[in-house]
Amino acid sequence: MSTRKTHLDGLAVSLLLACCLFWGFQQVLVKATLPLMPAVFQAALRFVGATALLWLWCQWRGVALFARDGSLKAGLLVGALFAAEFACIYIGLQFTSASRLTILLYTSPFWVAVLLPLFVSHERLRAMQWLGLALAFGAVVFAMSDRLTGSAAGTHWAGDLLGLLGGLFWGLTTVAIRGSNLTRVAPEKLLFYQVGVSAFALPWLSLALGEPWVWQFGFFVSMSLLLQTVIGAFASYLAWMWMLGRYPTNRLSVFVFLTPVFALLFGALWLDEGVSLQLIAALALVAAGIVLVNR
């Protein structure tokens, strides 16, 4: 077990930027794939593939996934919370706009900041760090303020509630990891609990929602699933698990505010949605919030 650091170093910042950049791109990629493949089925395939890939990686690296180490109950809890987050996201998108859901989903760092100090006292934020957290969240709201309409009348409240629950489940996943013994297990095993439970649960959710299971993949769908599986659900999440075991959680969590802003940026570049001064200003404000939290 490596010694936990008190601040983020260059390696952590580089990994965080790379992860958030890809997660932002992945949001646009999933959106572009939706007309060709249902959302939850898409997620299910991604996590089934990631589980198989992670198992092969662990066989190659000699990581013992099934050794008794006292982590089973906490691991299954974290896996269930992780799967519940994605269930809320994909079901919620049917009732509210992506922008509204994204803003509510990214309340996750606030849940972490409030709940984690109850279990890990040194993760408590100072006043200036709370200001940075609020500034970064406000920047996301500002970036998406012109896209907060378009939900179906009378139903958006259900999607909004699911978005808020998704953010809560995301935050609880992080709190459960840091508040238990799971940071002592290998990052691969920690991730295996999450993708494994999701790979089991999400296909059943897809069937319950009545989604058609499309098996005739064209080039775009195949490449989309490959990127979502190999880079998204495997490599980037494994890097995130590794960082959670070594760096202050609240300092890591604030970086996720970059993800929706990067998603808007990729949407502008790929889907010709336009790069506005509002988007550039939001990116600068998120960066300022990150600096304040990491002071």
Side-chain angles (χ1 to χ4, degrees):
M1 178 66 185
S2 300
T3 303
R4 293 191 64 86
K5 299 178 183 291
T6 58
H7 291 82
L8 304 184
D9 54 23
L11 175 60
V13 171
S14 298
L15 286 173
L16 284 165
L17 288 175
C19 286
C20 292
L21 191 67
F22 180 79
W23 293 338
F25 171 72
Q26 184 173 248
Q27 287 188 15
V28 180
L29 187 62
V30 170
K31 179 180 177 180
T33 310
L34 282 178
L36 304 171
M37 178 174 290
V40 179
F41 181 53
Q42 205 179 139
L45 288 180
R46 181 168 76 223
F47 287 120
V48 168
T51 301
L53 189 60
L54 183 59
W55 182 80
L56 291 172
W57 169 269
C58 291
Q59 292 298 303
W60 178 54
R61 298 277 296 176
V63 178
L65 290 175
F66 304 106
R68 294 187 178 182
D69 54 12
S71 67
L72 180 61
K73 290 183 179 179
L76 291 177
L77 172 62
V78 166
L81 291 169
F82 184 81
E85 173 202 339
F86 280 90
C88 288
I89 292 170
Y90 287 112
I91 297 175
L93 284 172
Q94 300 179 60
F95 299 104
T96 191
S97 68
S99 297
R100 291 174 70 99
L101 188 137
T102 297
I103 287 171
L104 292 166
L105 178 66
Y106 280 86
T107 57
S108 169
F110 288 100
W111 293 114
V112 174
V114 170
L115 297 175
L116 186 57
L118 299 177
F119 304 93
V120 186
S121 59
H122 63 266
E123 289 278 7
R124 193 178 307 276
L125 293 181
R126 303 187 305 275
M128 186 62 69
Q129 293 174 309
W130 274 106
L131 176 62
L133 198 65
L135 180 61
F137 179 73
V140 173
V141 176
F142 175 65
M144 296 186 169
S145 59
D146 60 343
R147 305 185 184 198
L148 295 182
T149 58
S151 300
T155 63
H156 68 79
W157 66 269
D160 292 349
L161 178 60
L162 286 167
L164 188 61
L165 282 174
L168 174 61
F169 284 133
W170 184 4
L172 287 175
T173 301
T174 303
V175 172
I177 289 171
R178 283 288 288 115
S180 67
N181 66 340
L182 289 179
T183 54
R184 301 189 183 97
V185 305
E188 291 89 346
K189 184 168 185 175
L190 177 53
L191 181 58
F192 192 79
Y193 280 123
Q194 296 170 78
V195 296
V197 172
S198 299
F200 173 80
L202 291 178
W204 293 104
L205 176 60
S206 177
L207 288 173
L209 293 173
E211 291 184 344
W213 285 20
V214 181
W215 297 103
Q216 296 180 352
F217 302 149
F219 176 77
F220 176 76
V221 172
S222 299
M223 290 305 298
S224 173
L225 286 174
L226 184 66
L227 289 172
Q228 291 181 52
T229 300
V230 177
I231 301 179
F234 172 62
S236 68
Y237 289 169
L238 184 57
W240 180 256
M241 295 304 111
W242 181 82
M243 287 186 285
L244 281 177
R246 287 160 176 78
Y247 298 98
T249 305
N250 279 314
R251 295 175 189 267
L252 293 173
S253 294
V254 72
F255 269 81
V256 302
F257 287 123
L258 285 170
T259 299
V261 181
F262 282 152
L264 290 176
L265 181 60
F266 278 117
L269 297 175
W270 184 4
L271 304 177
D272 295 325
E273 296 177 350
V275 178
S276 64
L277 290 176
Q278 184 176 346
L279 178 58
I280 296 172
L283 188 59
L285 289 172
V286 170
I290 289 172
V291 170
L292 287 176
V293 172
N294 283 278
R295 285 177 64 87

PDB file of all heavy atoms in Angstrom, residues 143 146-147 261-283:
ATOM      1  N   ALA A 143     -22.293  27.478 -18.046  1.00  0.00           N
ATOM      2  CA  ALA A 143     -21.993  26.958 -19.381  1.00  0.00           C
ATOM      3  C   ALA A 143     -23.225  26.368 -20.048  1.00  0.00           C
ATOM      4  O   ALA A 143     -23.385  26.432 -21.269  1.00  0.00           O
ATOM      5  CB  ALA A 143     -20.890  25.907 -19.303  1.00  0.00           C
ATOM      6  N   ASP A 146     -28.006  28.137 -21.330  1.00  0.00           N
ATOM      7  CA  ASP A 146     -28.828  28.355 -22.517  1.00  0.00           C
ATOM      8  C   ASP A 146     -29.397  27.055 -23.070  1.00  0.00           C
ATOM      9  O   ASP A 146     -30.047  27.047 -24.102  1.00  0.00           O
ATOM     10  CB  ASP A 146     -28.021  29.061 -23.615  1.00  0.00           C
ATOM     11  CG  ASP A 146     -26.813  28.257 -24.057  1.00  0.00           C
ATOM     12  OD1 ASP A 146     -26.420  27.330 -23.324  1.00  0.00           O
ATOM     13  OD2 ASP A 146     -26.259  28.561 -25.130  1.00  0.00           O
ATOM     14  N   ARG A 147     -29.175  25.927 -22.353  1.00  0.00           N
ATOM     15  CA  ARG A 147     -29.656  24.632 -22.832  1.00  0.00           C
ATOM     16  C   ARG A 147     -30.579  23.945 -21.831  1.00  0.00           C
ATOM     17  O   ARG A 147     -30.822  22.752 -21.933  1.00  0.00           O
ATOM     18  CB  ARG A 147     -28.473  23.699 -23.126  1.00  0.00           C
ATOM     19  CG  ARG A 147     -27.470  24.323 -24.097  1.00  0.00           C
ATOM     20  CD  ARG A 147     -26.392  23.356 -24.456  1.00  0.00           C
ATOM     21  NE  ARG A 147     -25.390  23.992 -25.320  1.00  0.00           N
ATOM     22  CZ  ARG A 147     -24.524  23.334 -26.076  1.00  0.00           C
ATOM     23  NH1 ARG A 147     -24.537  22.018 -26.097  1.00  0.00           N
ATOM     24  NH2 ARG A 147     -23.659  23.965 -26.817  1.00  0.00           N
ATOM     25  N   VAL A 261     -17.900  20.532 -19.194  1.00  0.00           N
ATOM     26  CA  VAL A 261     -17.422  21.637 -20.021  1.00  0.00           C
ATOM     27  C   VAL A 261     -16.671  21.093 -21.232  1.00  0.00           C
ATOM     28  O   VAL A 261     -16.837  21.587 -22.368  1.00  0.00           O
ATOM     29  CB  VAL A 261     -16.523  22.581 -19.193  1.00  0.00           C
ATOM     30  CG1 VAL A 261     -16.031  23.744 -20.043  1.00  0.00           C
ATOM     31  CG2 VAL A 261     -17.286  23.112 -17.984  1.00  0.00           C
ATOM     32  N   PHE A 262     -15.853  20.062 -21.021  1.00  0.00           N
ATOM     33  CA  PHE A 262     -15.187  19.411 -22.153  1.00  0.00           C
ATOM     34  C   PHE A 262     -16.216  18.790 -23.101  1.00  0.00           C
ATOM     35  O   PHE A 262     -16.033  18.795 -24.313  1.00  0.00           O
ATOM     36  CB  PHE A 262     -14.223  18.331 -21.652  1.00  0.00           C
ATOM     37  CG  PHE A 262     -12.923  18.860 -21.117  1.00  0.00           C
ATOM     38  CD1 PHE A 262     -12.210  18.154 -20.146  1.00  0.00           C
ATOM     39  CD2 PHE A 262     -12.382  20.048 -21.575  1.00  0.00           C
ATOM     40  CE1 PHE A 262     -11.005  18.630 -19.651  1.00  0.00           C
ATOM     41  CE2 PHE A 262     -11.170  20.543 -21.087  1.00  0.00           C
ATOM     42  CZ  PHE A 262     -10.491  19.820 -20.123  1.00  0.00           C
ATOM     43  N   ALA A 263     -17.309  18.257 -22.532  1.00  0.00           N
ATOM     44  CA  ALA A 263     -18.354  17.668 -23.374  1.00  0.00           C
ATOM     45  C   ALA A 263     -18.966  18.733 -24.284  1.00  0.00           C
ATOM     46  O   ALA A 263     -19.213  18.482 -25.480  1.00  0.00           O
ATOM     47  CB  ALA A 263     -19.440  17.028 -22.504  1.00  0.00           C
ATOM     48  N   LEU A 264     -19.215  19.924 -23.736  1.00  0.00           N
ATOM     49  CA  LEU A 264     -19.744  21.012 -24.559  1.00  0.00           C
ATOM     50  C   LEU A 264     -18.738  21.412 -25.632  1.00  0.00           C
ATOM     51  O   LEU A 264     -19.103  21.716 -26.775  1.00  0.00           O
ATOM     52  CB  LEU A 264     -20.078  22.214 -23.679  1.00  0.00           C
ATOM     53  CG  LEU A 264     -21.270  22.067 -22.730  1.00  0.00           C
ATOM     54  CD1 LEU A 264     -21.405  23.309 -21.865  1.00  0.00           C
ATOM     55  CD2 LEU A 264     -22.552  21.828 -23.508  1.00  0.00           C
ATOM     56  N   LEU A 265     -17.454  21.403 -25.262  1.00  0.00           N
ATOM     57  CA  LEU A 265     -16.418  21.767 -26.217  1.00  0.00           C
ATOM     58  C   LEU A 265     -16.347  20.753 -27.352  1.00  0.00           C
ATOM     59  O   LEU A 265     -16.287  21.126 -28.538  1.00  0.00           O
ATOM     60  CB  LEU A 265     -15.064  21.859 -25.494  1.00  0.00           C
ATOM     61  CG  LEU A 265     -13.861  22.266 -26.350  1.00  0.00           C
ATOM     62  CD1 LEU A 265     -14.079  23.648 -26.956  1.00  0.00           C
ATOM     63  CD2 LEU A 265     -12.581  22.258 -25.517  1.00  0.00           C
ATOM     64  N   PHE A 266     -16.375  19.473 -27.025  1.00  0.00           N
ATOM     65  CA  PHE A 266     -16.363  18.445 -28.074  1.00  0.00           C
ATOM     66  C   PHE A 266     -17.633  18.499 -28.906  1.00  0.00           C
ATOM     67  O   PHE A 266     -17.603  18.251 -30.120  1.00  0.00           O
ATOM     68  CB  PHE A 266     -16.193  17.053 -27.449  1.00  0.00           C
ATOM     69  CG  PHE A 266     -14.777  16.707 -27.124  1.00  0.00           C
ATOM     70  CD1 PHE A 266     -14.377  16.485 -25.810  1.00  0.00           C
ATOM     71  CD2 PHE A 266     -13.826  16.598 -28.131  1.00  0.00           C
ATOM     72  CE1 PHE A 266     -13.064  16.167 -25.508  1.00  0.00           C
ATOM     73  CE2 PHE A 266     -12.507  16.272 -27.839  1.00  0.00           C
ATOM     74  CZ  PHE A 266     -12.127  16.056 -26.530  1.00  0.00           C
ATOM     75  N   GLY A 267     -18.766  18.807 -28.250  1.00  0.00           N
ATOM     76  CA  GLY A 267     -20.003  18.947 -29.001  1.00  0.00           C
ATOM     77  C   GLY A 267     -19.912  20.074 -30.008  1.00  0.00           C
ATOM     78  O   GLY A 267     -20.421  19.965 -31.139  1.00  0.00           O
ATOM     79  N   ALA A 268     -19.237  21.146 -29.607  1.00  0.00           N
ATOM     80  CA  ALA A 268     -19.064  22.267 -30.526  1.00  0.00           C
ATOM     81  C   ALA A 268     -18.152  21.895 -31.695  1.00  0.00           C
ATOM     82  O   ALA A 268     -18.418  22.236 -32.852  1.00  0.00           O
ATOM     83  CB  ALA A 268     -18.493  23.462 -29.772  1.00  0.00           C
ATOM     84  N   LEU A 269     -17.085  21.147 -31.401  1.00  0.00           N
ATOM     85  CA  LEU A 269     -16.125  20.804 -32.444  1.00  0.00           C
ATOM     86  C   LEU A 269     -16.634  19.693 -33.363  1.00  0.00           C
ATOM     87  O   LEU A 269     -16.393  19.721 -34.576  1.00  0.00           O
ATOM     88  CB  LEU A 269     -14.801  20.385 -31.802  1.00  0.00           C
ATOM     89  CG  LEU A 269     -14.074  21.452 -30.986  1.00  0.00           C
ATOM     90  CD1 LEU A 269     -12.843  20.867 -30.307  1.00  0.00           C
ATOM     91  CD2 LEU A 269     -13.672  22.629 -31.869  1.00  0.00           C
ATOM     92  N   TRP A 270     -17.349  18.721 -32.787  1.00  0.00           N
ATOM     93  CA  TRP A 270     -17.778  17.555 -33.560  1.00  0.00           C
ATOM     94  C   TRP A 270     -19.171  17.748 -34.157  1.00  0.00           C
ATOM     95  O   TRP A 270     -19.419  17.458 -35.321  1.00  0.00           O
ATOM     96  CB  TRP A 270     -17.762  16.315 -32.656  1.00  0.00           C
ATOM     97  CG  TRP A 270     -18.095  15.016 -33.346  1.00  0.00           C
ATOM     98  CD1 TRP A 270     -18.339  14.818 -34.679  1.00  0.00           C
ATOM     99  CD2 TRP A 270     -18.214  13.733 -32.722  1.00  0.00           C
ATOM    100  NE1 TRP A 270     -18.606  13.496 -34.924  1.00  0.00           N
ATOM    101  CE2 TRP A 270     -18.540  12.807 -33.745  1.00  0.00           C
ATOM    102  CE3 TRP A 270     -18.092  13.270 -31.417  1.00  0.00           C
ATOM    103  CZ2 TRP A 270     -18.737  11.458 -33.488  1.00  0.00           C
ATOM    104  CZ3 TRP A 270     -18.281  11.932 -31.165  1.00  0.00           C
ATOM    105  CH2 TRP A 270     -18.589  11.039 -32.185  1.00  0.00           C
ATOM    106  N   LEU A 271     -20.083  18.257 -33.328  1.00  0.00           N
ATOM    107  CA  LEU A 271     -21.481  18.370 -33.759  1.00  0.00           C
ATOM    108  C   LEU A 271     -21.830  19.768 -34.251  1.00  0.00           C
ATOM    109  O   LEU A 271     -23.003  20.089 -34.440  1.00  0.00           O
ATOM    110  CB  LEU A 271     -22.411  17.979 -32.598  1.00  0.00           C
ATOM    111  CG  LEU A 271     -22.168  16.584 -31.996  1.00  0.00           C
ATOM    112  CD1 LEU A 271     -23.099  16.347 -30.818  1.00  0.00           C
ATOM    113  CD2 LEU A 271     -22.344  15.500 -33.060  1.00  0.00           C
ATOM    114  N   ASP A 272     -20.817  20.618 -34.443  1.00  0.00           N
ATOM    115  CA  ASP A 272     -21.009  21.980 -34.958  1.00  0.00           C
ATOM    116  C   ASP A 272     -22.004  22.776 -34.118  1.00  0.00           C
ATOM    117  O   ASP A 272     -22.855  23.506 -34.648  1.00  0.00           O
ATOM    118  CB  ASP A 272     -21.492  21.936 -36.420  1.00  0.00           C
ATOM    119  CG  ASP A 272     -20.446  21.334 -37.353  1.00  0.00           C
ATOM    120  OD1 ASP A 272     -19.256  21.572 -37.106  1.00  0.00           O
ATOM    121  OD2 ASP A 272     -20.833  20.629 -38.302  1.00  0.00           O
ATOM    122  N   GLU A 273     -21.898  22.643 -32.783  1.00  0.00           N
ATOM    123  CA  GLU A 273     -22.790  23.371 -31.904  1.00  0.00           C
ATOM    124  C   GLU A 273     -22.261  24.759 -31.550  1.00  0.00           C
ATOM    125  O   GLU A 273     -22.920  25.517 -30.846  1.00  0.00           O
ATOM    126  CB  GLU A 273     -23.042  22.553 -30.632  1.00  0.00           C
ATOM    127  CG  GLU A 273     -23.763  21.233 -30.904  1.00  0.00           C
ATOM    128  CD  GLU A 273     -23.953  20.396 -29.662  1.00  0.00           C
ATOM    129  OE1 GLU A 273     -23.364  20.750 -28.614  1.00  0.00           O
ATOM    130  OE2 GLU A 273     -24.687  19.394 -29.726  1.00  0.00           O
ATOM    131  N   GLY A 274     -21.058  25.083 -32.021  1.00  0.00           N
ATOM    132  CA  GLY A 274     -20.524  26.426 -31.827  1.00  0.00           C
ATOM    133  C   GLY A 274     -19.753  26.583 -30.525  1.00  0.00           C
ATOM    134  O   GLY A 274     -20.166  26.104 -29.475  1.00  0.00           O
ATOM    135  N   VAL A 275     -18.601  27.260 -30.599  1.00  0.00           N
ATOM    136  CA  VAL A 275     -17.799  27.586 -29.414  1.00  0.00           C
ATOM    137  C   VAL A 275     -18.102  29.030 -29.043  1.00  0.00           C
ATOM    138  O   VAL A 275     -17.823  29.947 -29.813  1.00  0.00           O
ATOM    139  CB  VAL A 275     -16.296  27.417 -29.690  1.00  0.00           C
ATOM    140  CG1 VAL A 275     -15.481  27.816 -28.465  1.00  0.00           C
ATOM    141  CG2 VAL A 275     -15.985  25.980 -30.084  1.00  0.00           C
ATOM    142  N   SER A 276     -18.694  29.234 -27.874  1.00  0.00           N
ATOM    143  CA  SER A 276     -19.096  30.571 -27.456  1.00  0.00           C
ATOM    144  C   SER A 276     -18.144  31.116 -26.397  1.00  0.00           C
ATOM    145  O   SER A 276     -17.396  30.378 -25.755  1.00  0.00           O
ATOM    146  CB  SER A 276     -20.519  30.535 -26.890  1.00  0.00           C
ATOM    147  OG  SER A 276     -20.556  29.737 -25.724  1.00  0.00           O
ATOM    148  N   LEU A 277     -18.210  32.425 -26.209  1.00  0.00           N
ATOM    149  CA  LEU A 277     -17.440  33.049 -25.137  1.00  0.00           C
ATOM    150  C   LEU A 277     -17.909  32.523 -23.779  1.00  0.00           C
ATOM    151  O   LEU A 277     -17.126  32.429 -22.841  1.00  0.00           O
ATOM    152  CB  LEU A 277     -17.597  34.571 -25.200  1.00  0.00           C
ATOM    153  CG  LEU A 277     -16.910  35.267 -26.377  1.00  0.00           C
ATOM    154  CD1 LEU A 277     -17.231  36.763 -26.365  1.00  0.00           C
ATOM    155  CD2 LEU A 277     -15.396  35.053 -26.307  1.00  0.00           C
ATOM    156  N   GLN A 278     -19.185  32.168 -23.702  1.00  0.00           N
ATOM    157  CA  GLN A 278     -19.740  31.599 -22.475  1.00  0.00           C
ATOM    158  C   GLN A 278     -19.034  30.300 -22.111  1.00  0.00           C
ATOM    159  O   GLN A 278     -18.700  30.063 -20.944  1.00  0.00           O
ATOM    160  CB  GLN A 278     -21.239  31.354 -22.697  1.00  0.00           C
ATOM    161  CG  GLN A 278     -21.985  30.859 -21.471  1.00  0.00           C
ATOM    162  CD  GLN A 278     -23.474  30.742 -21.730  1.00  0.00           C
ATOM    163  OE1 GLN A 278     -23.989  31.250 -22.713  1.00  0.00           O
ATOM    164  NE2 GLN A 278     -24.170  30.063 -20.852  1.00  0.00           N
ATOM    165  N   LEU A 279     -18.773  29.466 -23.106  1.00  0.00           N
ATOM    166  CA  LEU A 279     -18.090  28.201 -22.871  1.00  0.00           C
ATOM    167  C   LEU A 279     -16.644  28.427 -22.437  1.00  0.00           C
ATOM    168  O   LEU A 279     -16.152  27.782 -21.508  1.00  0.00           O
ATOM    169  CB  LEU A 279     -18.131  27.354 -24.146  1.00  0.00           C
ATOM    170  CG  LEU A 279     -17.412  26.002 -24.106  1.00  0.00           C
ATOM    171  CD1 LEU A 279     -17.971  25.134 -22.989  1.00  0.00           C
ATOM    172  CD2 LEU A 279     -17.538  25.299 -25.449  1.00  0.00           C
ATOM    173  N   ILE A 280     -15.964  29.347 -23.092  1.00  0.00           N
ATOM    174  CA  ILE A 280     -14.571  29.656 -22.737  1.00  0.00           C
ATOM    175  C   ILE A 280     -14.493  30.223 -21.319  1.00  0.00           C
ATOM    176  O   ILE A 280     -13.613  29.858 -20.528  1.00  0.00           O
ATOM    177  CB  ILE A 280     -13.971  30.637 -23.751  1.00  0.00           C
ATOM    178  CG1 ILE A 280     -13.917  29.989 -25.138  1.00  0.00           C
ATOM    179  CG2 ILE A 280     -12.574  31.081 -23.323  1.00  0.00           C
ATOM    180  CD1 ILE A 280     -13.514  30.929 -26.243  1.00  0.00           C
ATOM    181  N   ALA A 281     -15.437  31.107 -20.985  1.00  0.00           N
ATOM    182  CA  ALA A 281     -15.461  31.680 -19.637  1.00  0.00           C
ATOM    183  C   ALA A 281     -15.723  30.604 -18.591  1.00  0.00           C
ATOM    184  O   ALA A 281     -15.116  30.596 -17.514  1.00  0.00           O
ATOM    185  CB  ALA A 281     -16.522  32.770 -19.558  1.00  0.00           C
ATOM    186  N   ALA A 282     -16.630  29.680 -18.913  1.00  0.00           N
ATOM    187  CA  ALA A 282     -16.935  28.598 -17.974  1.00  0.00           C
ATOM    188  C   ALA A 282     -15.713  27.732 -17.718  1.00  0.00           C
ATOM    189  O   ALA A 282     -15.447  27.323 -16.583  1.00  0.00           O
ATOM    190  CB  ALA A 282     -18.080  27.751 -18.510  1.00  0.00           C
ATOM    191  N   LEU A 283     -14.954  27.434 -18.760  1.00  0.00           N
ATOM    192  CA  LEU A 283     -13.744  26.632 -18.608  1.00  0.00           C
ATOM    193  C   LEU A 283     -12.744  27.336 -17.693  1.00  0.00           C
ATOM    194  O   LEU A 283     -12.120  26.712 -16.824  1.00  0.00           O
ATOM    195  CB  LEU A 283     -13.128  26.374 -19.989  1.00  0.00           C
ATOM    196  CG  LEU A 283     -11.959  25.390 -20.064  1.00  0.00           C
ATOM    197  CD1 LEU A 283     -12.370  24.020 -19.537  1.00  0.00           C
ATOM    198  CD2 LEU A 283     -11.463  25.263 -21.497  1.00  0.00           C
TER     199      LEU A 283
END
